[in-house]
Amino acid sequence: MFEQRNYCGELTLNDVGTLVHLAGWVDTKRDLGGIIFIEMRDVTGIVQIVFDASKNSSAYEKADTVKNEYCIYVTGEVAKRSIETVNPGLKTGMIEVIGQDITILSESEVTPFPIDTHTNLNEEVRLKYRYLDLRRADMQEAIIVRHRVMQTIRRYLTDNRFIEVETPILNKSTPEGARDFLVPSRINRGAFYALPQSPQLFKQILMISGFDRYFQIAKCFRDEDLRNDRQPEFTQVDVEMSFINPSIIMNIIEGLLKEIVKDVLAKEIATPFPVLTYDEVMQRYGKDAPDTRFELELNDVSDIFTNSSFNVFKAALGNGGIIKAIVINDEGKISRAMIDEYINYVRTFKAMGLPSVRYTGSAFETGIAKFLSDSEKQKLVDRLKLNSNSLIIFSCDKPKIVNDALGNLRIRIAQQLNLIDENKLNFLWVVDFPLLEYDAEEGRYYAMHHPFTAPKPQCEPMLDTITPQTTEAIKAQAYDVVLNGVEIGGGSIRINRMPLQKKMFSILGISEEEAKIKFSFLLDALKYGAPPHGGIALGLDRILMLLLKRNSIRDVIAFPKTQKGQCLMSEAPSPVSAQQLKELSIKVVEL
Amino acid sequence: MFEQRNYCGELTLNDVGTLVHLAGWVDTKRDLGGIIFIEMRDVTGIVQIVFDASKNSSAYEKADTVKNEYCIYVTGEVAKRSIETVNPGLKTGMIEVIGQDITILSESEVTPFPIDTHTNLNEEVRLKYRYLDLRRADMQEAIIVRHRVMQTIRRYLTDNRFIEVETPILNKSTPEGARDFLVPSRINRGAFYALPQSPQLFKQILMISGFDRYFQIAKCFRDEDLRNDRQPEFTQVDVEMSFINPSIIMNIIEGLLKEIVKDVLAKEIATPFPVLTYDEVMQRYGKDAPDTRFELELNDVSDIFTNSSFNVFKAALGNGGIIKAIVINDEGKISRAMIDEYINYVRTFKAMGLPSVRYTGSAFETGIAKFLSDSEKQKLVDRLKLNSNSLIIFSCDKPKIVNDALGNLRIRIAQQLNLIDENKLNFLWVVDFPLLEYDAEEGRYYAMHHPFTAPKPQCEPMLDTITPQTTEAIKAQAYDVVLNGVEIGGGSIRINRMPLQKKMFSILGISEEEAKIKFSFLLDALKYGAPPHGGIALGLDRILMLLLKRNSIRDVIAFPKTQKGQCLMSEAPSPVSAQQLKELSIKVVEL
């Protein structure tokens, strides 16, 4: 058995008259009295098998004993369906297979949910019975597309001279930002490995080793509290190159994303992608990963209100704040109640209130209309290009709060008013990120990307005189790629000179001793002709989620964890034996 | 800079007259007074750059400042070398580049070892300075070939309808055989993940999910005490298929290995591979992974000596032992001292002594000659096909000891006498392994492969009446692939029926409760139409080591660990902060 094999979903009119051997599952079975129709499913799709008692009674009788999800092997002849029995809902709907023999390979109990369910399944049940959930068409598609995309990525990068190198999973712990997952070493008592948050140091080491184009579809690990689009382990398309500048790598990544989209959606996307600076996207969208599928841009109107009689504006500007506005051509659709709900929403971002006003097409009404001078009104009309019934919503506060509030609100409103074309794929680059951010509470600097990111050459001298006020002006050679408002990748040119790397560590408050413990091999390696290099990492899970329009990255991962970091199928993590802990010289601390 | 790039190792006579832009490292530099020759190296190879003071004094002066391993960018024109200066040792030796400009991208200190070293480097130094070690031609070759082989594997399997699926690294601990590496869960206090020893259960789950051909180039982890060819993390080409029998999968793997060998060595290997049963290889080679590149086969001569007057033989046979012999046509080369050394060697395998005798071509002399009857002599001549000056070495003891002793001795002798053709690639299959082995000391059965391996159908009834004596006769649907005496892969048809899986657990002494805790999801999954399936896992590191003729898998892994499980470059594993342990609710046990 099995020497001969045909695939259910691949049978066409060309196969009519041929004998086929199919292996798969009973998707559905209908008994019309004397005739049994089985929709048989394998990894390629579904085909209808017919068992006619009057023509082959022994096959009919065997077919009569099968139930849904039985695993079966069928021999039969492909036949053309008559016009009236063609099933246009099925790829193989023009034909059917006249069953000559059927073998039950294994039986099935009734499944906890029907395999043909597309919606409304409880996710916990899906994850517990993942082996059945993965039989569903949605999941089969996601896993097969993921496979195809991975092959495309490797082929594209290989064709572009990249070399795939496996970097270790058992690493040294150098917690930066997120927490490390730790692995106790049995042989080296009291010492721990850490699972990699990314192969960052190893890929830089590879550049110093002379492999000038590296990639890896790498598993990365972060012990964070999980949000909807986070997993403790996730997959990163990790790329590093020597002898480059940002535009070379951006060009290569655009080509890669073009191939991926072609593969998943059979669509051509336009390249090059728009390139926007960090300052510009913060100004216009309030976010460093803007969704440009719709307008509702943020407009800084601070200058219009320098002499405002509206106390809230006055106070905000007096405190070093800004005023921004978004204009919604809503034709009057947005009600007072909705505005109240928006005010409630932006509290999440620490914004106190959302002053608003309606422009009727000729006049300003309601809200803060009474505080607006004629000159302010005229300036608003000009600046905001007002010309029809529109609502203008303001936020005034510290820039970060204003940007957070309006940057998120514009997305919420766009969703609410159906302004987003879900078929658009708006890729763009954000460049010129600040190298560092100053944390006023802790009184220290943090690397915006990571400590190995190089400043723009013209900004490098500013590092010697850095102050909290000058921080934002020091730009990095960093670039993020964004799709529909989601950051799908980020990278930078790295520092390849030891004095500069040491200076960065010093600004970041990483002492020489600490740097030596954590990164001595990188600092050492920089002594031996380290090439100029840089790279990027793309989030494969997120890219697939966006292109396949799934709600969660869990829907594009075969065996994901829950938000509590659990695998509901295998019940990991779990208690282990006392013997295992003893061998590792660790114990669980009593509460 | 860098918008234009040519590669050192790719320049040929076709490029003569063109302007090229090269980025790489100074491999060597010779100053001939007024002319500097730099051998410049990049990932593709080496090319000679010439700076002539009389032609371009500014470039010459800059070139004069570089030293070995400086990272440089060179612009120059490709020129044909005169006949007398052609370097046949260099791929690009027909040409050279007349340097017009040179930029130092970064300087280098003197490296701890010369990059052009091929031998005699201390491995600890190599591993500490892995970024420099990886610049050496040997390591560049290994990493690049590894990349190529990985692409070939994925392309071949994809072309054969396999789908690559990533299985989790954070798994449940189900220690079987080797120890698990554990990862404490912070969110689930007191619970642990385990790193996978292999994706075994997940790949079976994928078959039950209906993906009928799966593969993954998977990282696997075993917390073992390390031998020369073991690493705590290693790479496995993991394959699983539904609706198959052993010969289908063996055929596919032969095709895969054919592609790999073609890729690495540009050589065609013959398929199908020889298929030998476990019983046969144990009989003839004393090992389940025989090296068939040379003869020196083991011959069971127990029956010849049933009435032996030699007490050692008599005692061995009386104790249920066997007598085996190997014949070495050494033309008298093996001395008494060498035999003494062999006797010493086989003590490792618990063998007490190695009776021997020399056949001169007409008579038996020395050793045990005086104990041989005429009839025994004649039978030996016939059985062992003696016809020239040969040494016959016997071992008599329990079968396991005899096989271990002679099975290993034949390899040692073959190496000593140079009987092994190092250019041969002897692939073969070993099939029909026993399903179980009985451990007399512990009084229990172990799975020879793993607990999910299916018995041969005709052996299945024997499980109901298994005894220590009948164990070896119960054969598994298991198959190993062997190259030059090294097992490079192993697999089996899996159990796809719950009653049989439960029976196996019961024979293995895994209680229902334990099975439920460890494998309940697999047992559950078997209820829902589990297809017949099986698979194999190939050791990628070992395959590359053998094909590239390296002494250790460390030489085909970019960043390996030492035998103490340490990364000498990054100094993993290492102590971690008290805060990290506190968050994980664990502590290191005081001694």
Side-chain angles (χ1 to χ4, degrees):
Chain A
M1 207 189 284
F2 306 137
E3 294 297 341
Q4 290 172 297
R5 173 96 192 267
N6 304 84
Y7 287 85
C8 299
E10 296 180 354
L11 299 178
T12 68
L13 283 173
N14 292 332
D15 299 300
V16 168
T18 61
L19 190 71
V20 293
H21 305 268
L22 303 169
W25 286 264
V26 176
D27 198 62
T28 59
K29 175 190 167 193
R30 283 174 301 144
D31 191 339
L32 268 64
I35 300 189
I36 291 171
F37 294 97
I38 290 176
E39 295 213 325
M40 182 170 175
R41 187 189 70 235
D42 67 19
V43 71
T44 62
I46 286 174
V47 72
Q48 175 166 284
I49 323 283
V50 186
F51 293 95
D52 188 333
S54 68
K55 290 183 183 153
N56 185 332
S57 66
S58 85
Y60 173 87
E61 272 159 36
K62 278 202 259 178
D64 196 30
T65 65
V66 310
K67 295 178 185 154
N68 281 2
E69 299 309 316
Y70 273 37
C71 185
I72 55 173
Y73 187 72
V74 167
T75 304
E77 193 180 308
V78 181
K80 190 176 171 176
R81 295 205 204 187
S82 61
I83 293 283
E84 61 273 21
T85 61
V86 160
N87 179 353
L90 212 56
K91 214 181 91 198
T92 60
M94 300 291 284
I95 55 102
E96 60 194 5
V97 174
I98 310 304
Q100 295 180 358
D101 195 14
I102 177 168
T103 307
I104 294 174
L105 297 173
S106 85
E107 303 182 356
S108 176
E109 293 185 5
V110 175
T111 54
F113 50 81
I115 302 303
D116 59 2
T117 317
H118 278 270
T119 48
N120 290 330
L121 280 176
N122 175 295
E123 196 182 10
E124 287 199 8
V125 176
R126 286 177 55 199
L127 292 176
K128 179 168 162 57
Y129 297 97
R130 191 60 158 181
Y131 38 91
L132 299 176
D133 188 39
L134 285 170
R135 288 187 189 171
R136 295 189 312 110
D138 288 353
M139 287 307 302
Q140 292 261 322
E141 182 199 24
I143 299 303
I144 292 170
V145 166
R146 187 177 179 116
H147 155 73
R148 234 170 42 214
V149 166
M150 288 197 291
Q151 311 318 312
T152 297
I153 291 169
R154 296 206 194 82
R155 194 175 49 242
Y156 174 89
L157 291 172
T158 298
D159 288 349
N160 280 282
R161 290 179 172 272
F162 287 82
I163 289 167
E164 182 179 3
V165 183
E166 296 159 89
T167 56
I169 297 291
L170 294 171
N171 279 10
K172 184 187 171 84
S173 179
T174 53
E176 282 296 309
R179 272 183 219 94
D180 280 332
F181 280 106
L182 297 182
V183 183
S185 166
R186 179 179 54 85
I187 303 176
N188 305 279
R189 195 180 160 279
F192 292 78
Y193 302 100
L195 304 183
Q197 296 190 26
S198 93
Q200 183 62 34
L201 292 171
F202 284 99
K203 68 179 179 174
Q204 293 193 233
I205 286 292
L206 284 168
M207 295 304 104
I208 298 172
S209 302
F211 295 99
D212 55 22
R213 295 190 165 195
Y214 143 92
F215 82 96
Q216 188 180 194
I217 299 186
K219 274 287 177 79
C220 303
F221 304 84
R222 282 183 203 165
D223 185 9
E224 292 175 306
D225 298 310
L226 305 172
R227 299 198 312 253
N228 199 39
D229 58 347
R230 289 278 168 88
Q231 282 280 309
E233 62 183 286
F234 56 96
T235 302
Q236 176 166 304
V237 180
D238 200 46
V239 166
E240 195 81 2
M241 306 169 73
S242 290
F243 310 118
I244 56 152
N245 53 45
S247 71
I248 294 177
I249 196 158
M250 286 159 70
N251 189 269
I252 282 181
I253 296 302
E254 286 169 356
L256 175 60
L257 289 166
K258 204 183 179 84
E259 288 296 313
I260 292 174
V261 172
K262 207 186 291 174
D263 205 359
V264 178
L265 301 171
K267 234 184 190 174
E268 284 287 338
I269 53 169
T271 52
F273 300 161
V275 179
L276 289 84
T277 66
Y278 173 84
D279 288 344
E280 185 181 357
V281 296
M282 291 309 288
Q283 181 70 9
R284 291 171 55 191
Y285 303 99
K287 275 179 172 293
D288 61 3
D291 190 339
T292 58
R293 287 175 298 173
F294 58 96
E295 306 279 337
L296 298 188
E297 291 191 16
L298 280 56
N299 301 275
D300 193 326
V301 291
S302 309
D303 60 310
I304 297 180
F305 293 105
T306 41
N307 297 310
S308 174
S309 63
F310 181 41
N311 278 333
V312 177
F313 282 177
K314 224 186 322 194
L317 293 178
N319 284 327
I322 58 167
I323 306 168
K324 282 188 168 185
I326 55 175
V327 179
I328 311 129
N329 297 313
D330 68 335
E331 302 296 338
K333 259 185 258 169
I334 295 176
S335 64
R336 184 65 232 174
M338 284 160 78
I339 297 176
D340 286 342
E341 193 264 316
Y342 299 158
I343 291 172
N344 202 33
Y345 172 66
V346 297
R347 280 212 188 98
T348 332
F349 311 103
K350 300 187 183 158
M352 305 303 291
L354 288 173
S356 64
V357 68
R358 182 166 290 285
Y359 179 71
T360 61
S362 55
F364 288 86
E365 290 181 356
T366 75
I368 64 165
K370 57 177 173 289
F371 300 110
L372 300 180
S373 70
D374 284 351
S375 138
E376 287 166 349
K377 285 176 182 170
Q378 189 52 50
K379 284 179 184 163
L380 283 177
V381 169
D382 294 345
R383 177 76 53 84
L384 304 178
K385 299 185 183 63
L386 301 176
N387 53 28
S388 63
N389 190 345
S390 309
L391 180 71
I392 301 143
I393 296 180
F394 299 89
S395 174
C396 58
D397 209 314
K398 295 268 154 55
K400 182 175 168 14
I401 293 175
V402 168
N403 284 330
D404 278 354
L406 293 186
N408 287 296
L409 182 63
R410 75 180 272 278
I411 297 170
R412 193 179 180 86
I413 293 174
Q415 287 167 341
Q416 208 174 47
L417 302 186
N418 269 320
L419 303 180
I420 305 175
D421 178 350
E422 296 288 348
N423 289 317
K424 269 194 184 168
L425 292 174
N426 281 21
F427 288 94
L428 59 88
W429 290 100
V430 179
V431 299
D432 294 357
F433 280 82
L435 182 68
L436 300 154
E437 32 188 5
Y438 182 73
D439 185 316
E441 275 175 39
E442 298 189 36
R444 53 160 286 190
Y445 297 95
Y446 281 94
M448 195 132 168
H449 192 58
H450 56 50
F452 314 107
T453 296
K456 298 193 83 168
Q458 62 270 36
C459 297
E460 201 181 316
M462 298 167 71
L463 287 175
D464 295 322
T465 57
I466 187 170
T467 66
Q469 288 69 40
T470 63
T471 307
E472 206 174 312
I474 305 175
K475 303 299 185 190
Q477 296 191 61
Y479 30 83
D480 275 4
V481 57
V482 173
L483 168 57
N484 293 349
V486 178
E487 183 215 319
I488 56 168
S492 65
I493 301 299
R494 327 300 184 184
I495 295 168
N496 77 318
R497 283 168 292 131
M498 198 174 38
L500 180 57
Q501 187 64 70
K502 282 191 169 169
K503 190 181 291 175
M504 271 296 283
F505 284 153
S506 141
I507 291 171
L508 294 170
I510 300 175
S511 71
E512 277 202 40
E513 199 193 336
E514 193 185 349
K516 213 175 140 69
I517 291 172
K518 288 183 173 171
F519 311 113
S520 73
F521 66 107
L522 180 68
L523 292 175
D524 278 348
L526 291 178
K527 292 178 195 162
Y528 299 104
H533 64 286
I536 194 165
L538 303 176
L540 182 65
D541 307 306
R542 283 196 200 177
I543 292 172
L544 288 166
M545 177 185 76
L546 291 170
L547 295 182
L548 289 171
K549 294 192 181 139
R550 303 299 162 96
N551 293 321
S552 155
I553 59 170
R554 289 188 297 276
D555 285 341
V556 297
I557 296 173
F559 302 103
K561 304 283 192 296
T562 64
Q563 296 198 21
K564 286 193 131 182
Q566 293 166 334
C567 172
L568 297 183
M569 182 182 74
S570 66
E571 294 175 345
S574 67
V576 295
S577 73
Q579 176 62 21
Q580 284 176 286
L581 296 184
K582 194 178 160 209
E583 287 187 331
L584 297 174
S585 302
I586 60 167
K587 69 178 195 185
V588 174
V589 176
E590 304 296 327
L591 272 185
Chain B
M1 207 188 284
F2 306 137
E3 294 297 340
Q4 290 172 296
R5 173 95 191 269
N6 304 84
Y7 287 85
C8 298
E10 296 180 354
L11 299 177
T12 69
L13 284 172
N14 292 332
D15 300 300
V16 168
T18 60
L19 190 71
V20 293
H21 304 268
L22 302 169
W25 286 264
V26 177
D27 198 62
T28 60
K29 175 190 169 193
R30 283 174 301 143
D31 190 339
L32 267 67
I35 300 189
I36 291 171
F37 294 97
I38 290 176
E39 295 212 325
M40 182 169 175
R41 188 189 70 235
D42 67 18
V43 72
T44 62
I46 285 175
V47 72
Q48 175 166 284
I49 322 283
V50 186
F51 293 93
D52 188 333
S54 69
K55 290 183 182 152
N56 185 333
S57 66
S58 84
Y60 173 86
E61 273 159 35
K62 277 201 259 177
D64 196 30
T65 64
V66 310
K67 295 177 186 156
N68 281 2
E69 299 309 317
Y70 274 37
C71 185
I72 54 174
Y73 186 72
V74 167
T75 303
E77 192 180 309
V78 181
K80 189 176 171 177
R81 295 205 204 189
S82 60
I83 293 283
E84 60 274 20
T85 61
V86 160
N87 179 353
L90 212 56
K91 214 181 91 198
T92 60
M94 300 291 283
I95 55 103
E96 60 194 3
V97 174
I98 310 303
Q100 295 179 357
D101 195 16
I102 177 168
T103 307
I104 294 174
L105 297 173
S106 85
E107 303 182 355
S108 176
E109 294 186 4
V110 175
T111 54
F113 50 81
I115 302 304
D116 58 3
T117 317
H118 278 271
T119 47
N120 291 329
L121 280 177
N122 175 294
E123 196 182 12
E124 287 199 9
V125 176
R126 287 176 55 201
L127 292 176
K128 178 168 163 55
Y129 297 96
R130 191 61 158 181
Y131 38 91
L132 299 176
D133 189 39
L134 285 170
R135 287 186 188 172
R136 295 189 313 109
D138 289 353
M139 287 307 302
Q140 293 261 322
E141 182 199 23
I143 299 303
I144 292 170
V145 167
R146 187 176 179 116
H147 155 74
R148 234 169 42 216
V149 166
M150 288 197 290
Q151 311 318 311
T152 296
I153 291 169
R154 296 207 194 82
R155 192 175 51 242
Y156 174 87
L157 291 172
T158 298
D159 288 349
N160 280 281
R161 291 180 171 270
F162 287 81
I163 289 166
E164 182 179 3
V165 183
E166 296 159 89
T167 55
I169 298 290
L170 294 170
N171 279 9
K172 183 185 170 85
S173 179
T174 54
E176 282 295 309
R179 272 184 219 94
D180 280 333
F181 279 105
L182 297 182
V183 183
S185 166
R186 179 178 55 85
I187 303 176
N188 306 279
R189 194 179 161 280
F192 293 78
Y193 302 100
L195 305 184
Q197 295 190 27
S198 93
Q200 184 62 34
L201 292 172
F202 285 99
K203 68 179 179 174
Q204 293 193 233
I205 285 292
L206 284 168
M207 294 304 104
I208 297 172
S209 302
F211 295 99
D212 56 22
R213 296 189 165 196
Y214 144 93
F215 81 96
Q216 188 180 195
I217 300 185
K219 273 287 177 79
C220 303
F221 305 83
R222 281 181 203 167
D223 185 10
E224 293 175 306
D225 298 310
L226 304 172
R227 298 199 312 253
N228 199 39
D229 59 346
R230 289 278 169 88
Q231 283 279 309
E233 62 183 287
F234 57 96
T235 302
Q236 178 166 303
V237 180
D238 200 46
V239 166
E240 195 81 3
M241 305 170 73
S242 291
F243 311 117
I244 56 152
N245 54 45
S247 71
I248 295 177
I249 196 158
M250 286 158 72
N251 189 268
I252 282 180
I253 296 302
E254 285 169 357
L256 175 60
L257 289 166
K258 204 184 178 86
E259 288 295 314
I260 291 174
V261 173
K262 207 186 291 175
D263 205 0
V264 178
L265 301 171
K267 236 185 189 172
E268 284 287 339
I269 53 168
T271 51
F273 301 161
V275 179
L276 289 84
T277 67
Y278 173 85
D279 288 345
E280 184 181 357
V281 297
M282 292 309 290
Q283 180 71 7
R284 290 171 55 191
Y285 303 99
K287 276 179 172 292
D288 61 3
D291 190 340
T292 59
R293 287 175 298 173
F294 58 95
E295 306 279 336
L296 299 188
E297 290 191 16
L298 280 56
N299 302 275
D300 193 325
V301 291
S302 309
D303 59 311
I304 297 180
F305 293 105
T306 41
N307 297 311
S308 175
S309 62
F310 182 41
N311 279 333
V312 177
F313 283 177
K314 225 188 319 198
L317 293 178
N319 285 327
I322 57 168
I323 307 169
K324 283 189 167 184
I326 56 176
V327 179
I328 311 128
N329 297 314
D330 68 336
E331 302 296 336
K333 260 185 258 167
I334 294 177
S335 64
R336 183 67 233 173
M338 284 158 78
I339 297 177
D340 286 344
E341 193 264 316
Y342 300 158
I343 291 172
N344 203 32
Y345 172 66
V346 297
R347 281 213 187 97
T348 332
F349 311 103
K350 300 187 183 158
M352 305 303 291
L354 287 174
S356 64
V357 68
R358 181 165 291 285
Y359 180 70
T360 62
S362 55
F364 288 85
E365 291 181 356
T366 75
I368 64 166
K370 58 177 172 288
F371 300 110
L372 301 178
S373 72
D374 284 350
S375 139
E376 287 166 350
K377 285 176 181 169
Q378 189 53 49
K379 285 180 183 161
L380 283 177
V381 169
D382 294 344
R383 176 77 53 86
L384 304 177
K385 300 185 181 62
L386 301 176
N387 54 28
S388 63
N389 190 345
S390 309
L391 180 71
I392 301 141
I393 295 179
F394 299 89
S395 174
C396 57
D397 209 314
K398 295 267 152 55
K400 181 172 168 18
I401 293 176
V402 168
N403 285 330
D404 278 354
L406 293 186
N408 287 295
L409 182 63
R410 75 180 273 276
I411 296 170
R412 193 180 180 87
I413 292 173
Q415 286 167 341
Q416 207 175 48
L417 302 186
N418 269 319
L419 303 180
I420 305 175
D421 178 349
E422 296 287 348
N423 289 317
K424 269 193 184 168
L425 292 174
N426 281 21
F427 287 94
L428 59 88
W429 290 101
V430 179
V431 299
D432 294 357
F433 281 82
L435 182 67
L436 301 154
E437 32 188 4
Y438 183 73
D439 185 318
E441 274 174 40
E442 297 189 38
R444 54 160 286 191
Y445 297 95
Y446 281 95
M448 195 132 167
H449 192 58
H450 56 51
F452 314 106
T453 296
K456 298 193 84 170
Q458 64 270 35
C459 297
E460 202 180 316
M462 298 167 70
L463 287 174
D464 295 321
T465 56
I466 187 170
T467 67
Q469 288 70 42
T470 63
T471 307
E472 206 173 310
I474 305 174
K475 303 300 185 191
Q477 296 191 63
Y479 31 83
D480 275 4
V481 57
V482 173
L483 168 58
N484 293 348
V486 178
E487 183 215 317
I488 56 169
S492 64
I493 301 297
R494 327 300 184 184
I495 295 168
N496 77 319
R497 285 168 291 131
M498 199 173 39
L500 181 56
Q501 187 64 69
K502 283 190 170 170
K503 190 181 293 176
M504 272 296 283
F505 285 152
S506 139
I507 291 172
L508 294 170
I510 300 175
S511 70
E512 275 203 42
E513 199 193 337
E514 193 185 349
K516 214 174 139 70
I517 290 172
K518 287 184 175 171
F519 310 114
S520 72
F521 66 106
L522 180 67
L523 292 175
D524 278 349
L526 291 178
K527 292 178 195 161
Y528 298 103
H533 64 286
I536 195 166
L538 303 175
L540 182 64
D541 307 307
R542 282 195 199 178
I543 293 172
L544 287 165
M545 176 185 78
L546 291 170
L547 295 182
L548 289 171
K549 295 193 180 136
R550 304 298 162 96
N551 293 320
S552 156
I553 58 170
R554 289 189 296 277
D555 285 342
V556 297
I557 296 175
F559 302 104
K561 303 284 192 294
T562 64
Q563 296 198 20
K564 286 193 132 181
Q566 293 166 332
C567 172
L568 297 183
M569 182 182 74
S570 66
E571 294 175 345
S574 67
V576 294
S577 72
Q579 176 63 21
Q580 284 177 287
L581 296 184
K582 193 178 161 210
E583 287 188 331
L584 296 174
S585 303
I586 60 167
K587 67 178 195 182
V588 175
V589 176
E590 305 295 326
L591 272 184

